[in-house]
Amino acid sequence: MMVHTMHRESPDKGLDSGKYVRYTPEQVEALERVYTECPKPSSLRRQQLIRECPILSNIEPKQIKVWFQNRRCREKQRKEAARLQTVNRKLNAMNKLLMEENDRLQKQVSHLVYENGHMKHQLHTASGTTTDNSCESVVVSGQQHQQQNSNHPQHLQRDANNPAGLLSIAEEALAEFLSKATGTAVDWVQMIGMKPGPDSIGIVSISRNCSGIAARACGLVSLEPMKVAEILKDRQSWLRDCRCVDTLSVIPAGNGGTIELIYTQMYAPTILAAARDFWTLRYSTCLEDGSYVVCERSLTSTTGGPNGPPSSSFVRAEMRPSGFLIRPCDGGGSIVHIVDHVDLDAWSVPEVMRPLYESSKILAQKMTVAALRHVRQIAQETSGEVQYGGGRQPAVLRTFSQKLCRGFNDAVNGFVDDGWSPLGSNDGAEDISVMINLSPGKFGGPSHYGSSFLPSFGSGVLCAKASMLLENVPSAVLVRFLREHRSEWADYGVDAYAAASLRASPFAVPCARAGGFPSNQVILPLAQTVEHEEFLEVVRLEGHAYSPEDMGLARDMYLLQLCSGVDENVVGGCAQLVFAPIDESFADDAPLLPSGFRVIPLEHKSTPNGASANRTLDLASALEGSTRQGSEADTNGCNFRSVVTIAFQFTFDNHTRDNVASMARQYVRSIVGSIQRVALAIAPRPGSSISPVSAPTSPEALTLVRWISRSYRVHTGADLFGSDSQTSGDTLLRQLWNHTDAILCCSLKTNASPVFTFANQTGLDMLETTLVALQDIMLDKTLDESGRKALCSEFPKIMQQGYAHLPAGVCASSMGRLVSYEQATVWKVLEDDESNHCLAFMFVNWSFV
């Protein structure tokens, strides 16, 4: 019989190593039951346990306490051992993967050395040879002609009704795919920032000097090979740009594999380029080493095989041999190799948009890495490593994300077969395009928008959309700003109208007001992916009414929001902010009508001369004059562009269609203007010739500047602008606005967190914000811990003496970037009647870390 022992504790010397307490199996079972319910029982609970269990009556409470301590220690050791075993398996598999990658690179080096030597030999031979090679060229030409003629019958055998011909195409595609996945068929270059490791996404590479664009990724996942294959074959579940995948034919192969003829439609990422489609053969089979492989390639006149379905709204793209190789890993899990190699026919799009279709980095982020991340996400959800809030299952939250993306893509593309048709403009403006859909039942269907998509508006859906080109504005920074400072661009009245489609009694169509309604937002996180590149959240917009006619705005509103691509370190990543109004119940089958923004980086250019005159361009005019802009536009050393796509959807009924269309055009046009202002605020400024944002000229601003200047002189005895400062209001305002140091005003409240109320141009640059969004920034979120402590210690001095100097420190901008400063001066701003108005801060010699 197994006996359980533990040390007996001595009253004088602690644990006596020479004496043991022997527990019977019944005693251990009773203690284990209690441990399962409460691993750390209190002293009263241990005494109660002894009273309730007669078999423990001979055990002292102190001994029971030590047993629970040891039991917790064993549990901790067991978990740590299991974790280390998992890490060890990952490291072994990653080591195997890196060794294979090293072997591949060595083969590639040997091949390049051989080619280099062969080329040198040819050059040396050609320089010393004067023989006429015309006969040899004729022979070579004849051989090539013979080879072409010999290949021709092979393509003739690849008939749609001939499985043997399709199997021949499949075997060729398999061989080419394997040579890309594990061989040297493509010159792979590792992507920047993608370092291998046990917790990394894997090894990610892109092609160099390759026909078309290609990307490759290999990594570890804790799922079995067949499960991984099942997940990756469901392309719509992980590829957000995939509209539909139709399997038109399934043919069993003679070797136990499967051949499928597949037609795939892809969304266009912007409104100014046509969508793409693929007609491919997909081959799935098991290899001799136990690996499972799925390869795919386009069927063309060159490869042979049946013709694909015609499509008038799509541009036929070509998929070169691509796919995924899944190998079982020792100890469980799989090693996955993914290759994507496509030709997207970049010449069919305007020149300014071609980088979007010629970038292997964008392909890697949108397809290759997205597939591997999705598999890793499901693996961690299956193992219980991912925790979600709100009581929702991971599959439900993923469905919400997919519905948001698909609804936004449907709005951007506006396919005719979904029921979309253009609505003519009455004001002659072509910068905003408006489309309507009069068949909401067909549009999206219940799987995308819910069975009761239009509870109150029965006529249809209207979408207003636009595109614009930004220069020197990081896409991640812009989307993060739009998310965190909604009041900078959104109109509360328009939001309320959009939310009214979920209620039975909507109110009238509003006018998009220039300033909109300022509103407070509270972001409630729901879920995020493992690497935090995408997160789903609920946004609560606090309701309020300013007049009796605005009582319809008094209730809170809720948005389901998806934000992705806000990591500035990701190369080639697309940033996106998509949201849809929801009601308080937020059911799993809630109808969604998404709107939002998509920002895609296009290119990096080196330009030798001065600075670009504008941070934003009208994309339509850029398309008309792309050749002219190529020689004139980019002038400041390193210039990068991003294309911004904006789409907003609204419901309407028969008698409000024209009013909704007018409101939507005006609203999207105002959003375009807001993004232009935001771009000017957050774009890098050093060396640019951009004229700064004009200073506010309201009477309140003039009065505040006069109070700031006078209070500084009263408290410190010095003049804020030097001895030659002018006393007129306009001059003081101009001097403060253009001051070289960052000057900010902060509310002086005892019952609420102080927020910034005013800043000069340099202060806005330091906080990376605008005057409107400034009021959303709190002081305690800007200063670091040492800065807050210094301000608290000096606060009594500020209130008594009127000012104080804070030492050098670090603060944070609204974008999260660290800012260092040499000194900060804080003084009390007094009104004309000597009452306290606010605190003023001046940060001297600041710079981004």
Side-chain angles (χ1 to χ4, degrees):
M1 178 185 296
M2 180 183 296
V3 289
H4 299 265
T5 64
M6 69 163 290
H7 294 89
R8 181 194 300 268
E9 221 174 28
S10 172
D12 299 325
K13 298 182 179 180
L15 292 177
D16 185 356
S17 59
K19 297 180 181 179
Y20 297 91
V21 174
R22 296 180 179 270
Y23 293 91
T24 64
E26 292 78 10
Q27 291 174 328
V28 173
E29 182 180 358
L31 292 172
E32 287 287 353
R33 283 198 302 268
V34 177
Y35 181 84
T36 303
E37 299 174 359
C38 179
K40 195 173 183 180
S42 64
S43 175
L44 293 177
R45 181 70 181 91
R46 293 193 299 269
Q47 293 176 3
Q48 181 185 4
L49 175 64
I50 294 175
R51 290 195 302 269
E52 293 177 353
C53 296
I55 58 175
L56 298 176
S57 59
N58 62 331
I59 308 295
E60 297 180 4
K62 188 176 293 185
Q63 295 168 349
I64 298 291
K65 177 181 179 180
V66 174
W67 185 92
F68 276 96
Q69 289 175 346
N70 291 341
R71 180 64 179 84
R72 291 194 299 271
C73 183
R74 289 197 301 271
E75 180 70 16
K76 184 177 179 181
Q77 290 174 345
R78 184 189 64 79
K79 291 181 179 179
E80 181 65 13
R83 188 189 68 83
L84 292 176
Q85 287 178 358
T86 302
V87 172
N88 184 57
R89 284 197 301 269
K90 287 184 179 180
L91 290 174
N92 287 334
M94 182 60 72
N95 181 58
K96 180 181 178 181
L97 201 61
L98 291 174
M99 290 177 64
E100 292 175 354
E101 181 71 6
N102 186 53
D103 292 340
R104 188 193 66 80
L105 291 174
Q106 288 182 351
K107 290 178 183 178
Q108 186 175 355
V109 169
S110 301
H111 180 67
L112 292 175
V113 170
Y114 171 78
E115 282 189 345
N116 186 44
H118 181 65
M119 188 171 292
K120 285 183 178 179
H121 176 71
Q122 282 186 328
L123 291 174
H124 178 72
T125 304
S127 63
T129 302
T130 58
T131 308
D132 184 6
N133 294 327
S134 58
C135 294
E136 182 181 352
S137 63
V138 172
V139 173
V140 172
S141 175
Q143 289 176 347
Q144 292 175 347
H145 184 67
Q146 268 188 337
Q147 290 176 356
Q148 291 175 358
N149 290 337
S150 63
N151 289 335
H152 189 60
Q154 182 180 2
H155 291 305
L156 290 178
Q157 294 175 1
R158 295 175 175 177
D159 184 56
N161 299 318
N162 187 352
L166 293 178
L167 181 60
S168 175
I169 299 175
E171 293 290 352
E172 285 185 10
L174 175 61
E176 287 190 48
F177 161 69
L178 291 176
S179 66
K180 297 174 185 177
T182 59
T184 58
V186 173
D187 184 9
W188 297 112
V189 179
Q190 186 171 333
M191 277 189 69
I192 299 174
M194 296 293 185
K195 296 181 179 179
D199 296 320
S200 69
I201 188 66
I203 303 173
V204 182
S205 307
I206 56 177
S207 61
R208 181 175 58 184
N209 301 327
C210 172
S211 175
I213 54 177
R216 187 191 68 160
C218 44
L220 311 173
V221 293
S222 57
L223 295 174
E224 296 306 312
M226 296 308 296
K227 179 63 176 177
V228 176
E230 177 187 346
I231 295 171
L232 291 178
K233 279 187 173 183
D234 185 10
R235 187 172 288 157
Q236 282 184 281
S237 67
W238 56 266
L239 182 54
R240 296 293 170 79
D241 287 346
C242 182
R243 185 189 184 213
C244 67
V245 178
D246 295 329
T247 303
L248 302 185
S249 180
V250 180
I251 305 170
N255 57 357
T258 303
I259 295 175
E260 301 166 279
L261 300 182
I262 297 177
Y263 177 63
T264 304
Q265 290 182 349
M266 306 290 289
Y267 289 109
T270 70
I271 66 175
L272 293 167
R276 264 54 181 166
D277 65 352
F278 295 93
W279 169 240
T280 58
L281 177 147
R282 186 166 70 185
Y283 181 39
S284 307
T285 187
C286 288
L287 303 181
E288 294 180 356
D289 62 354
S291 302
Y292 190 77
V293 62
V294 178
C295 62
E296 190 171 358
R297 74 169 305 166
S298 287
L299 294 177
T300 64
S301 58
T302 305
T303 62
N307 295 324
S311 57
S312 59
S313 302
F314 294 83
V315 173
R316 182 61 50 88
E318 182 181 357
M319 181 182 293
R320 310 286 172 83
S322 307
F324 40 92
L325 170 67
I326 311 168
R327 297 186 297 171
C329 192
D330 296 338
S334 305
I335 299 177
V336 185
H337 299 257
I338 303 176
V339 173
D340 292 303
H341 190 179
V342 296
D343 184 350
L344 298 176
D345 192 12
W347 291 101
S348 65
V349 301
E351 182 179 354
V352 71
M353 301 294 296
R354 285 177 193 166
L356 191 58
Y357 295 83
E358 295 176 334
S359 172
S360 294
K361 296 176 183 177
I362 294 179
L363 176 72
Q365 291 293 347
K366 293 177 68 174
M367 290 187 65
T368 318
V369 176
L372 195 54
R373 277 180 174 151
H374 183 71
V375 176
R376 284 167 51 89
Q377 180 77 23
I378 293 182
Q380 296 204 14
E381 290 175 359
T382 304
S383 63
E385 298 179 38
V386 181
Q387 301 294 327
Y388 288 96
R392 308 273 178 170
Q393 293 297 321
V396 174
L397 296 175
R398 277 201 308 275
T399 301
F400 278 127
S401 300
Q402 292 166 6
K403 288 166 67 176
L404 286 172
C405 284
R406 290 184 64 82
F408 184 71
N409 279 324
D410 283 331
V412 169
N413 286 260
F415 291 114
V416 175
D417 57 352
D418 280 339
W420 288 102
S421 61
L423 182 67
S425 173
N426 296 326
D427 56 7
E430 298 296 335
D431 54 337
I432 310 297
S433 62
V434 177
M435 302 188 75
I436 60 173
N437 194 312
L438 300 177
S439 53
K442 180 181 179 182
F443 166 63
S447 62
H448 302 312
Y449 296 93
S451 56
S452 57
F453 177 59
L454 299 176
S456 57
F457 294 152
S459 295
V461 176
L462 182 145
C463 177
K465 48 193 176 180
S467 282
M468 58 191 302
L469 197 65
L470 299 183
E471 294 189 2
N472 293 346
V473 179
S475 57
V477 175
L478 176 59
V479 168
R480 196 160 64 237
F481 187 97
L482 294 173
R483 171 181 174 265
E484 296 174 359
H485 304 289
R486 185 179 180 87
S487 60
E488 177 67 19
W489 56 267
D491 187 298
Y492 190 89
V494 177
D495 285 337
Y497 174 79
S501 63
L502 304 174
R503 301 198 296 269
S505 56
F507 51 88
V509 179
C511 293
R513 314 184 190 188
F517 283 104
S519 62
N520 297 323
Q521 66 171 0
V522 179
I523 297 179
L524 310 172
L526 278 181
Q528 60 186 10
T529 50
V530 174
E531 297 185 4
H532 300 175
E533 77 280 353
E534 180 179 282
F535 38 92
L536 186 69
E537 55 202 12
V538 172
V539 179
R540 178 166 61 88
L541 303 178
E542 297 179 352
H544 45 256
Y546 295 97
S547 61
E549 58 268 20
D550 292 332
M551 288 306 296
L553 306 177
R555 60 185 299 174
D556 290 351
M557 294 181 298
Y558 297 88
L559 302 175
L560 181 65
Q561 182 166 275
L562 181 70
C563 184
S564 61
V566 293
D567 184 358
E568 296 180 59
N569 298 319
V570 174
V571 179
C574 163
Q576 188 169 263
L577 183 69
V578 180
F579 44 85
I582 56 176
D583 58 16
E584 293 86 344
S585 62
F586 187 26
D588 290 350
D589 59 347
L592 299 178
L593 191 64
S595 304
F597 310 88
R598 176 180 292 148
V599 188
I600 308 175
L602 288 179
E603 61 186 340
H604 288 264
K605 283 187 179 180
S606 295
T607 51
N609 304 320
S612 176
N614 294 305
R615 296 293 179 192
T616 59
L617 301 175
D618 176 20
L619 191 49
S621 61
L623 296 176
E624 294 172 0
S626 57
T627 305
R628 174 182 58 80
Q629 289 176 1
S631 60
E632 297 178 3
D634 308 319
T635 56
N636 74 322
C638 181
N639 181 14
F640 55 92
R641 292 177 171 182
S642 300
V643 59
V644 182
T645 300
I646 308 166
F648 277 75
Q649 299 189 81
F650 304 95
T651 54
F652 66 91
D653 58 15
N654 289 326
H655 67 277
T656 62
R657 189 187 74 173
D658 293 340
N659 290 338
V660 174
S662 176
M663 179 270 293
R665 282 195 187 94
Q666 183 182 355
Y667 186 44
V668 173
R669 195 171 290 129
S670 70
I671 290 175
V672 170
S674 298
I675 291 180
Q676 290 174 337
R677 292 192 300 272
V678 170
L680 289 171
I682 66 178
R685 290 187 175 273
S688 73
S689 62
I690 302 175
S691 59
V693 179
S694 58
T697 57
S698 63
E700 294 81 4
L702 296 174
T703 301
L704 177 61
V705 170
R706 181 169 56 82
W707 288 348
I708 293 173
S709 174
R710 183 176 60 85
S711 300
Y712 185 87
R713 184 171 58 254
V714 168
H715 297 316
T716 66
D719 200 297
L720 183 61
F721 309 116
S723 57
D724 58 344
S725 63
Q726 303 295 321
T727 57
S728 65
D730 291 341
T731 304
L732 280 177
L733 177 59
R734 192 161 50 249
Q735 288 179 331
L736 178 69
W737 185 254
N738 297 322
H739 200 281
T740 55
D741 294 324
I743 300 176
L744 306 100
C745 291
C746 183
S747 62
L748 190 59
K749 299 179 180 178
T750 57
N751 57 348
S753 299
V755 296
F756 291 108
T757 57
F758 177 80
N760 66 347
Q761 180 64 66
T762 310
L764 296 177
D765 291 345
M766 186 185 79
L767 293 182
E768 296 184 292
T769 187
T770 63
L771 277 175
V772 176
L774 179 71
Q775 300 176 14
D776 296 333
I777 303 176
M778 292 188 292
L779 177 64
D780 57 351
K781 299 295 184 182
T782 302
L783 299 176
D784 64 354
E785 185 177 359
S786 60
R788 291 192 294 269
K789 289 182 178 178
L791 178 61
C792 290
S793 63
E794 296 289 343
F795 189 76
K797 179 180 177 182
I798 297 172
M799 300 308 293
Q800 294 177 4
Q801 181 176 309
Y803 78 101
H805 297 294
L806 305 183
V810 176
C811 61
S813 73
S814 63
M815 296 291 102
R817 287 208 288 174
L818 297 181
V819 181
S820 64
Y821 54 90
E822 291 185 4
Q823 179 182 287
T825 301
V826 188
W827 67 97
K828 187 170 52 173
V829 177
L830 303 177
E831 299 180 2
D832 292 332
D833 59 358
E834 299 300 322
S835 61
N836 297 330
H837 179 74
C838 65
L839 286 182
F841 291 77
M842 182 167 63
F843 294 90
V844 181
N845 293 336
W846 64 271
S847 62
F848 289 108
V849 178

